[in-house]
Amino acid sequence: MLEEKPRPTDRLRRLRQSEQIRALVRETALDPGRFVSPVFVTEGSGIIEPIESMPGVNRYAVDRLTNYVARLRDAGVNSVLLFGITGSKDEVGSQAYSPVGTIPRAVAEIKRRFPDEVVMADVCLCEYTNHGHCGVLREGSVDNDRTLPLLARAAVEYAKAGADVVAPSAMMDGQVAAIRAALDSEGLGDTVIMGYSAKYASSFYGPFREAAGSAPSSGDRRAYQMDPPNSREAMRELSSDAEEGADILMVKPALAYLDVLAKARSRFDLPIAAYNVSGEFAMLKAAATRGWLDEKRATLEILTSIKRAGADIIITYSAEQASNWLAE
Ligand code: PBG
């Protein structure tokens, strides 16, 4: 006779028996109130322009923006992160800090219609320079210290227009301190800074650069954005942003850097944002349109993984759709 096999004492399946029991013990829940939708704002009027590599994402002229913001709000998403697109680029990215540029106008328009909307503005020069780099050039490389006052001017203009949050993404050393000092000296002490603290030189920004027309015309961003293999260095970036006065820290991209996110969560008590970037969105869309992935389940699974790894705030192009799915 066969000896009876020992029976497992841990019956983990007990808590998976029904959706109701699973819901009761679920450890992570997504909340549309924690989503931020990136929005591309273009010059001109009457424009809603689809972005080919990001199905469902458009560029909006300022006069078409608030209808989209209204739709996001209906879905429960009350925060947007604005990116400006301009046809008038120059060496020093003047349109980034023009008081009448696209972003100050967009911020003011959104705030006029929805005073309680959380309006965040990306602060960088790459969408505004004719060479596509995130700062001003000297002898072919990006000059960190000459870029700082320009980023600070841009942040001040966006804050004056009513932005609640400014988000420096240029990866210049000292950018948070420069912006904090400039905001405070202009009486804009309440403006929040969300640092793109650990931002990697990632291949996943491709579709964004198409959307914003911000690909560098020569070279790449590896001399200022982080080297993907490094995670201890990310902790140094996060610490320096925290010390310089950032209110929120960010890890970007999200999906290929969940380990960095988890480590950041365990080390810092500041709110942590994760940016589920354009390429992460595009690859999912591409597979879903071919029927290779269930788009709804895959999107929610990815967003849940970002939350589970430790993100308080998730910046995602899926914000509206995911929120609607969560409400189904
Ligand atoms: C600007 C900026 C970029 C992104 C956010 N801010 C592009 C880049 O650094 O090249 C990427 C966002 C995305 O891919 O969704 N510096």
Side-chain angles (χ1 to χ4, degrees):
M1 219 179 94
L2 274 172
E3 218 174 284
E4 212 183 321
K5 284 219 177 113
R7 301 172 59 209
T9 48
D10 250 6
R11 294 288 178 178
L12 292 162
R13 289 179 51 186
R14 228 177 253 138
L15 296 175
R16 296 176 199 148
Q17 290 180 82
S18 71
E19 177 48 27
Q20 287 70 16
I21 295 177
R22 289 192 294 274
L24 203 60
V25 298
R26 194 159 287 145
E27 299 173 31
T28 309
L30 290 171
D31 171 5
R34 305 297 195 102
F35 291 159
V36 178
S37 182
V39 181
F40 297 102
V41 190
T42 188
E43 289 165 341
S45 58
I47 299 167
I48 301 180
E49 206 171 35
I51 296 158
E52 204 187 333
S53 54
M54 301 173 75
V57 180
N58 302 302
R59 302 184 191 92
Y60 295 90
V62 171
D63 64 341
R64 290 300 149 103
L65 200 54
T66 51
N67 284 348
Y68 177 54
V69 174
R71 243 172 55 203
L72 286 166
R73 291 168 63 95
D74 286 344
V77 180
N78 302 309
S79 309
V80 285
L81 174 58
L82 305 180
F83 294 93
I85 298 162
T86 181
S88 359
K89 301 179 187 230
D90 60 22
E91 277 292 304
V92 291
S94 310
Q95 281 302 311
Y97 36 91
S98 160
V100 291
T102 308
I103 294 302
R105 288 191 299 114
V107 170
E109 182 62 14
I110 297 172
K111 280 291 187 183
R112 193 178 59 78
R113 177 131 173 235
F114 303 113
D116 64 352
E117 178 76 8
V118 180
V119 179
M120 309 183 171
D122 184 82
V123 178
C124 193
L125 300 189
C126 66
E127 298 110 280
Y128 307 93
T129 51
N130 51 16
H131 44 75
H133 279 288
C134 300
V136 290
L137 298 183
R138 189 157 62 164
E139 285 155 25
S141 70
V142 175
D143 187 330
N144 192 91
D145 295 7
R146 284 197 189 175
T147 301
L148 295 179
L150 305 181
L151 296 172
R153 265 172 76 184
V156 165
E157 291 305 335
Y158 306 162
K160 274 188 184 162
D164 303 279
V165 180
V166 291
S169 68
M171 286 302 278
M172 296 300 123
D173 288 326
Q175 61 184 7
V176 169
I179 288 171
R180 185 72 273 158
L183 290 170
D184 291 353
S185 74
E186 295 281 340
L188 296 159
D190 284 341
T191 307
V192 171
I193 299 178
M194 175 168 73
Y196 280 73
S197 312
K199 176 176 176 181
Y200 287 87
S202 168
S203 57
F204 288 100
Y205 307 151
F208 174 96
R209 292 179 189 171
E210 182 215 320
S214 64
S217 55
S218 66
D220 53 44
R221 305 206 199 293
R222 283 184 281 190
Y224 42 104
Q225 298 181 347
M226 280 189 60
D227 198 18
N230 295 358
S231 93
R232 292 194 302 267
E233 187 188 351
M235 300 305 112
R236 296 185 62 201
E237 285 283 3
L238 293 155
S239 303
S240 77
D241 273 14
E243 278 162 25
E244 288 177 34
D247 303 285
I248 300 171
L249 304 174
M250 191 200 298
V251 173
K252 175 189 174 189
L255 204 46
Y257 298 87
L258 292 179
D259 58 324
V260 178
L261 193 54
K263 204 159 137 189
R265 170 70 300 154
S266 71
R267 294 230 191 155
F268 297 91
D269 291 329
L270 291 174
I272 292 182
Y275 198 142
N276 178 213
V277 300
S278 59
E280 299 174 337
F281 174 81
M283 68 183 178
L284 201 153
K285 279 279 176 189
T289 29
R290 284 164 182 77
W292 294 346
L293 280 177
D294 177 329
E295 188 179 2
K296 173 179 162 182
R297 289 190 56 198
T299 303
L300 294 176
E301 187 173 333
I302 285 174
L303 294 174
T304 301
S305 75
I306 296 169
K307 179 85 191 262
R308 193 186 60 232
D312 299 295
I313 298 167
I314 305 178
I315 304 162
T316 173
Y317 300 95
S318 306
E320 183 190 5
Q321 199 166 34
S323 302
N324 288 330
W325 281 326
L326 289 170
E328 273 174 9

